[in-house]
Amino acid sequence: MKTKCAILDDDPLAIKIIQKHLECFEHFEVIHSCNNAIDAFEFVHNNSVHLIFVDINMPMVNGIDFIKSLQNPPLIIITTSDHEYAVEGFELDVVDYLIKPISLNRLMKSLHKVSRLLSLTNKQEDTLHREVEDHIFVKVDKKMIKIFFEDILYIESLKDYVIIKTPAAKYITHYNLSAITRLLPDDLFMRIHRSYTIAINKIKAINKNCVEINNKSLPMGRNYIKEVKCKIMNGATTNA
């Protein structure tokens, strides 16, 4: 299966360079390119996209704000001429941060990361399709550990890894938060912050811009607050 890519950049030449580079890799396919975040948001919302190349300096909505607007984003590679946003970019759980002009060799390293992450995701999805969908298997210290959905309290991002927290233990596995969130049932779990995905039914309280789970206060990101509160309150109304 080909990796479906989209490119967001207001520089036509930059788009052309990425497209030309990707032609060298038969498993990657550009299905859309655009020069503004509004167009990109609509396309990602309505289509299956595995990877987006995102420029930062954009008209109307910059690349960083665009990434923050995506609730369950695909894999993202930032492409920019600026070094100053690197830290903020990686805090948003992006796969890589490429400085223009982008060479073929440098892009190839990024695509290796993408392929590895998608391979892990596909293996997890295959397992879920074969098994009863009440658990997930994750690799921890060279072992595949079975974790039931009902035991998960929350998942925390830790650079190229995530921490899956249960009442009895915590498991560190090589995933990014976006990828592992896509493997979980969206009626049971939701992302509340660039660093946290939570089990909805484990929420004990909402305190200002935080949720309380297992005596731990977890922040809600500004771009997630409205959806989180809406989903929680709708669930409470339904169960009432």
Side-chain angles (χ1 to χ4, degrees), residues 2-19:
K2 289 194 175 184
T3 299
K4 297 179 181 179
C5 307
I7 305 172
L8 169 58
D9 200 309
D10 62 341
D11 181 355
L13 180 58
I15 292 176
K16 188 173 181 179
I17 289 172
I18 294 174
Q19 288 176 326

Side-chain angles (χ1 to χ4, degrees), residues 159-170:
K159 292 187 177 178
D160 292 333
Y161 294 80
V162 294
I163 301 172
I164 303 175
K165 185 70 172 68
T166 71
K170 66 179 182 180

